[in-house]
Amino acid sequence: MPNATHPDVMERLVSLCKRRGFIFQSSEIYGGTGSVWDYGPLGVELKKNIKDRWWHAMVRARDDIEGLDAAILMHPRVWEASGHVAGFVDPLVDCRNCKKRFRADDPRIKGEPGTPDAQCPACGMKGTLNAPRLFNLMFKTYMGPVEDTASVVYLRPETAQGIYVNFVNVQQSTRQKIPFGIAQIGKAFRNEITPGNFIFRTREFEQMEMQFFVEPGTDMTWFEYWKGQRMQWHQSLGLDPARLQFHQHTTEELAHYARAAFDVQFDFGGTLGFQEIEGVHNRGDFDLTRHSEYSGKKLEYVDQPNNRRYVPYVVETSVGADRTTLAVLVNGYREETVAGESEGRTVLALHPSLAPVKAGIFPLVKKDGMPEMAARIAADLRPRFPVFYDEAGAIGRRYRRQDEVGTPFCITVDGQSMTDNTVTVRDRDTLVQDRVNADNLRAVLEERLAR
Ligand code: ATP
């Protein structure tokens, strides 16, 4: 029975996502665009629920983090200060024969690219690989009507810089005292050379980033704190703790300015295995110092009780909304046999708080007042949470369709409902059905969804 570590699972998940309206290939009717995806009606809800959980945990439920929504287009000097213009480059290798392009560190390349010995991993020709050339991962465009070098701007490759350049604005307007953080969710763009694995690595994606400004010397304590908090958050989404781990950056992996870095990794199974979904970084005073140098503005914190000024250190947490969505989908995907039934079922065991639809509501048959009662129940629940009313086809098939999109509960109005006002509530995971009085249904569901 395929489970999440089965190699075919990603393929099946992609097909489920398309069939049921979670995720479509972008511009599909034109043949699709490379590694860009559109979220359909259920996908947009799932990703929004993940973003809402993050925003709640990081901003709403705390008094030491402020929210921000900075623009995607920033002053070009930002990317010089951040190091992205000079450093955000990958060495690339082209094959003169088959025209395929590879990262220079692609493990399939045997020999030194640019020499007669190197063999192309795609077409197998020897001596056709060019020497590596640097390629900048930032998308470039022009601001205003004139396309000249003076009007070049970049689509941001990360959201963090919008936070750094607003550090003083946010601190002064909110009068926050250090330690405090600034959080934002937004699109980022990277012209990735090897995108792929569905929404794992795309060229347009969403990040949820938080920069926590601390007094130098307290940074490692806060770093440890945020590591713990972030791991707990991933577990709170229902990700299996056995599929989550930390990966400490080695000296080679560590960015030159970073004082420490850990990735939170999730086991995607198949050929991917454990991969980064979030980075927790101790960035020291690198970013604020650089922006200070490049802008000529002081980016300091004034500690009034102790009468001193300093450039705070930054502990960053940076998680991909799309990559977390994929982790949640992979984590929840199951194909199961059902006792006593010939047909198996596909289940998305999503955490109730993330499920796009919280309850399916069905009349057992389309007569005897059942549709009317079921419609009344749906109308009563809909203002509280998303429900789906369905009266078409065999009841078993209706249950299966909801299992497949992760709906935690199915409510059925049957013959008995017409006499005693009870309905059945079926649990997606245990398949247990119990009877609940229709008048208590809203309270019962709200209680079960909050578990
Ligand atoms: P990777 O090594 O996978 O390219 P990274 O170390 O460059 O990632 P960061 O710059 O730390 O990633 O970005 C933080 C988070 O943003 C990542 O953990 C990931 O969840 C997400 N992310 C980064 N690049 C992409 C991408 N191309 N597509 C989807 N999500 C991404």
Side-chain angles (χ1 to χ4, degrees), residues 87-329:
F88 203 52
V89 286
D90 267 357
L92 280 194
V93 165
D94 289 306
C95 173
R96 284 189 297 277
N97 179 46
C98 70
K99 313 284 181 228
K100 290 254 163 59
R101 179 168 275 191
F102 313 91
R103 287 168 70 121
D105 61 1
D106 191 319
R108 296 169 305 162
I109 298 177
K110 304 279 175 269
E112 192 67 35
T115 67
D117 294 339
Q119 190 163 1
C120 172
C123 69
M125 287 276 274
K126 246 185 170 183
T128 55
L129 293 180
N130 284 328
R133 273 190 313 229
L134 290 178
F135 170 80
N136 196 295
L137 295 179
M138 282 197 293
F139 279 93
K140 234 186 230 177
T141 187
Y142 300 94
M143 184 96 103
V146 186
E147 294 191 7
D148 59 17
T149 46
S151 61
V152 165
V153 289
Y154 299 98
L155 303 189
R156 65 180 176 199
E158 61 176 31
T159 60
Q161 301 303 325
I163 292 180
Y164 299 131
V165 300
N166 277 298
F167 166 71
V168 171
N169 283 339
V170 173
Q171 195 273 324
Q172 291 186 349
S173 58
T174 62
R175 298 193 289 123
Q176 281 279 5
K177 301 210 168 27
I178 272 179
F180 78 96
I182 306 177
Q184 75 167 330
I185 300 178
K187 290 261 178 161
F189 303 82
R190 295 183 190 175
N191 207 354
E192 298 277 7
I193 299 144
T194 47
N197 291 305
F198 198 24
I199 52 170
F200 178 82
R201 189 184 304 283
T202 53
R203 296 192 169 111
E204 171 176 346
F205 56 98
E206 247 177 317
Q207 286 187 314
M208 307 186 281
E209 294 197 300
M210 192 281 298
Q211 317 292 320
F212 205 71
F213 300 92
V214 306
E215 192 180 341
T218 64
D219 45 310
M220 280 317 286
T221 310
W222 281 107
F223 179 71
E224 289 303 324
Y225 168 82
W226 280 110
K227 262 178 66 190
Q229 289 289 307
R230 298 307 304 146
M231 183 57 99
Q232 262 177 34
W233 183 80
H234 288 287
Q235 292 182 6
S236 80
L237 301 184
L239 294 183
D240 178 356
R243 300 179 74 158
L244 287 166
Q245 69 180 24
F246 282 118
H247 164 75
Q248 180 171 14
H249 281 213
T250 59
T251 330
E252 293 85 64
E253 284 173 285
L254 210 56
H256 65 92
Y257 53 82
R259 296 167 59 85
F262 272 80
D263 294 338
V264 178
Q265 295 186 328
F266 174 78
D267 184 2
F268 287 89
T271 49
L272 273 173
F274 275 99
Q275 297 287 342
E276 168 182 345
I277 50 177
E278 169 151 15
V280 182
H281 310 126
N282 179 349
R283 303 177 64 108
D285 63 1
F286 175 78
D287 307 276
L288 290 181
T289 304
R290 290 278 287 199
H291 282 303
S292 213
E293 275 167 31
Y294 278 71
S295 66
K297 301 282 185 317
K298 279 208 170 81
L299 300 178
E300 290 177 337
Y301 176 71
V302 184
D303 175 358
Q304 271 154 351
N306 296 309
N307 194 24
R308 68 185 190 105
R309 326 170 142 256
Y310 59 87
V311 178
Y313 277 15
V314 169
V315 175
E316 165 186 72
T317 69
S318 172
V319 56
D322 311 87
R323 215 174 267 187
T324 306
T325 303
L326 183 61
V328 161
L329 285 167

